[in-house]
């Protein structure tokens, strides 16, 4: 298969698997990364929601878990140490998680530029819903600052292996923000969490947010959204169709 054939804009396979357990999504990403490194597939955008889970990145300070892991597990949330960058964060229902598998060598060999691209996609998405979002100097992620102290709307953490990026972005859409009270999210002590629903004061559909985020991400990276072929679905361990 020649994945470079077609229009000038390279394809971006969109795959929605919601819900999907965190470990299953992590395993699936590793498979996709290996295939992308071998140039067997184009870039892929996996969009999902997870059951409640706290994840710790490679640079995480365990003191940013404000309760022991067993206590968090007792609350119904898994605790997973993962290989992405960054500190501790929460994933759960009502939060749209985007895992782009992107070959930065075919885009820009610049990890910092890629992080800014993820932020730009989240900012564009928030704007479509009428929420003003922005960056904060020296921090990775997306924030809302109108009308008070900064509130974190989206968290970002990536891994890059042989110039193929994985992990990605978590956007709070209708998330139960109470979960964030159990951690120092991203290790930032003045951070409070927010969501699109809270910022706009109206119901927000996760499905619509997924459509807008996919379009924004494709726009920022100069990609063309294409539905992922059915052959990818059975590769996702733990998914009902696998």
């Amino acid at each position: 298969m020649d994945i470079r054939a077609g229009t000038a804009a390279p394809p971006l396979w969109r795959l929605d698997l919601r819900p999907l357990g965190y470990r299953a999504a992590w395993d699936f990403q590793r498979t996709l990364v290996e295939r992308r490194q071998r140039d067997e597939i184009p870039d892929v955008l996996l969009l999902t929601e997870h059951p409640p889970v706290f994840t710790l990145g490679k640079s995480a300070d365990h003191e940013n878990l404000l309760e022991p892991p067993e206590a968090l597990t007792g609350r119904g949330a898994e605790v997973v140490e993962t290989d992405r960058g960054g500190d501790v964060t929460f994933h759960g229902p009502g939060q749209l998680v985007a895992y782009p598998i992107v070959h930065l060598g075919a885009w820009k060999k610049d990890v910092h530029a890629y992080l800014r691209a993820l932020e730009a996609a989240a900012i564009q998405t928030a704007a479509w819903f009428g929420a003003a979002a922005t960056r904060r100097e020296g921090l990775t992620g997306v924030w809302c600052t109108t009308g008070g102290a900064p509130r974190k709307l989206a968290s970002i953490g990536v891994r890059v292996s042989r110039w193929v990026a994985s992990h990605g972005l978590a956007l709070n859409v209708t998330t139960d923000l109470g979960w964030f009270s159990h951690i120092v999210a991203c290790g930032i002590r003045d951070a409070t969490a927010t969501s699109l629903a809270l910022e706009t004061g109206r119901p927000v559909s996760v499905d619509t947010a997924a459509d807008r985020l996919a379009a924004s991400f494709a726009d920022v990276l100069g990609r063309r959204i294409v539905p992922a072929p059915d052959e990818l679905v059975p590769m996702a361990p733990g998914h009902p169709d696998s």
Side-chain angles (χ1 to χ4, degrees), residues 96 98 115-129 131-135 141-144 153-156 169-172 196 209 212-217 220:
L96 176 64
L115 293 173
R116 304 293 81 79
L118 289 172
E119 291 169 344
I123 291 169
Q124 284 187 21
T125 301
W128 190 89
F129 286 98
T134 188
R135 299 179 175 94
V142 172
W143 306 75
C144 294
L153 180 66
S155 299
I156 293 172
L169 179 152
L171 176 67
N172 294 327
L196 285 176
R212 299 314 308 175
L213 184 62
S216 295
F217 184 74
V220 169

Side-chain angles (χ1 to χ4, degrees), residues 4 23 27 33 35 44 74 87 95 102 104 114-115 134 147-148 152 167 169 171 182 208 227:
R4 293 163 295 185
R23 293 181 188 275
D27 287 343
V33 166
R35 294 194 66 189
V44 177
D87 208 288
Q95 182 190 76
V102 173
L104 300 185
Y114 179 64
L115 293 173
T134 188
K152 196 162 193 182
H167 295 282
L169 179 152
L171 176 67
H182 305 296
T208 303

Side-chain angles (χ1 to χ4, degrees), residues 47-237:
L47 297 168
T48 191
E49 288 178 79
H50 295 309
V53 58
F54 294 97
T55 67
L56 295 93
K58 292 188 297 182
S59 59
D61 182 345
H62 282 68
E63 292 187 359
N64 290 328
L65 289 177
L66 300 180
E67 299 179 24
E70 56 270 22
L72 296 173
T73 300
R75 294 182 180 276
E78 194 175 6
V79 179
V80 179
E81 295 192 40
T82 186
D83 62 352
R84 61 163 173 80
D87 208 288
V88 60
T89 195
F90 169 78
H91 301 304
Q95 182 190 76
L96 176 64
V97 185
Y99 292 128
I101 309 301
V102 173
H103 201 311
L104 300 185
W107 181 66
K108 298 177 183 178
K109 282 192 172 182
D110 187 330
V111 177
H112 292 288
Y114 179 64
L115 293 173
R116 304 293 81 79
L118 289 172
E119 291 169 344
I123 291 169
Q124 284 187 21
T125 301
W128 190 89
F129 286 98
T134 188
R135 299 179 175 94
R136 286 181 71 185
E137 185 68 29
L139 299 174
T140 298
V142 172
W143 306 75
C144 294
T145 59
T146 303
R151 305 169 300 281
K152 196 162 193 182
L153 180 66
S155 299
I156 293 172
V158 304
R159 173 181 170 80
V160 178
S161 173
R162 290 168 50 196
W163 287 111
V164 175
S166 58
H167 295 282
L169 179 152
L171 176 67
N172 294 327
V173 181
T174 60
T175 319
D176 178 357
L177 302 178
W179 285 104
F180 288 92
S181 66
H182 305 296
I183 59 175
V184 179
C186 303
I188 304 171
R189 296 201 169 269
D190 70 343
T192 57
T194 191
S195 66
L196 285 176
L198 185 61
E199 293 297 321
T200 61
R202 57 185 173 82
V204 179
S205 163
V206 176
D207 288 339
T208 303
D211 289 341
R212 299 314 308 175
L213 184 62
S216 295
F217 184 74
D219 178 62
V220 169
L221 263 70
R223 296 293 186 265
R224 170 175 50 93
I225 293 286
V226 178
D230 292 341
E231 54 126 335
L232 279 194
V233 175
M235 293 170 52

